[in-house]
Amino acid sequence: MSERWFPDEMPVPGVNAETNGWWEAASRHRLVVQRCTACGATRHPPGPICPQCRSTASEWLDLRGTGTVFTFTVVRQAFIPSLAEQLPYVVIAVELDGAEGARIVSNLIDIEPCDVSIGMHVEVVWEDMGPQLAVPRFRATTDAKGARG
Ligand SMILES: [Zn+2]
């Protein structure tokens, strides 16, 4: 069972040869980042070559799904008409726990924009957009307020 926060028209990144493994993990509600098996550097979004050492060898590192808001913005204009009912909504960059610096851009849901702050703690929630397509969104954790400076 999965909640929905955005309509089907909400754009999702395209799947290609480099990102297919990431989306396959996501479809099973596993949040992963790509890690170079030569030097250990993590990266997101996935790509064919390590930007640190140029190795093409990589693996998927499973994450707990928790993290910290690195930065955010509030969307107040519906560039896609069917998103008008979602306004305003929050776009965040999350510094993922255990990802060794890799960040993901997503949405923070179930929160008023005025309550969002950099450094607050968040955790992943999965939105099943289709039978094979799950998109990670994030929600403030119960201790999120304690993280505010
Ligand atoms: Zn590397």
Side-chain angles (χ1 to χ4, degrees), residues 66-71 92-97 102-106 122 138:
T66 56
T68 303
V69 174
F70 178 77
T71 190
I92 56 173
V94 181
E95 188 113 35
L96 295 162
D97 293 341
R103 299 182 192 123
I104 186 171
V105 175
S106 180
V122 295
F138 288 82

Side-chain angles (χ1 to χ4, degrees), residues 36-41 43 50-55 57:
C36 173
T37 53
C39 77
R43 59 186 187 262
C50 175
Q52 302 296 319
C53 76
R54 301 184 184 218
S55 169

Side-chain angles (χ1 to χ4, degrees), residues 43-114:
R43 59 186 187 262
H44 189 83
I49 296 170
C50 175
Q52 302 296 319
C53 76
R54 301 184 184 218
S55 169
T56 58
S58 69
E59 63 186 355
W60 299 110
L61 174 64
D62 273 281
L63 304 174
R64 290 196 306 275
T66 56
T68 303
V69 174
F70 178 77
T71 190
F72 71 96
T73 190
V74 179
V75 177
R76 300 182 187 278
Q77 183 173 349
F79 295 100
I80 297 168
S82 59
L83 291 178
E85 288 181 22
Q86 271 68 39
L87 296 177
Y89 62 88
V90 181
V91 176
I92 56 173
V94 181
E95 188 113 35
L96 295 162
D97 293 341
E100 296 155 29
R103 299 182 192 123
I104 186 171
V105 175
S106 180
N107 299 104
L108 188 63
I109 49 87
D110 295 342
I111 193 166
E112 292 298 322
C114 62

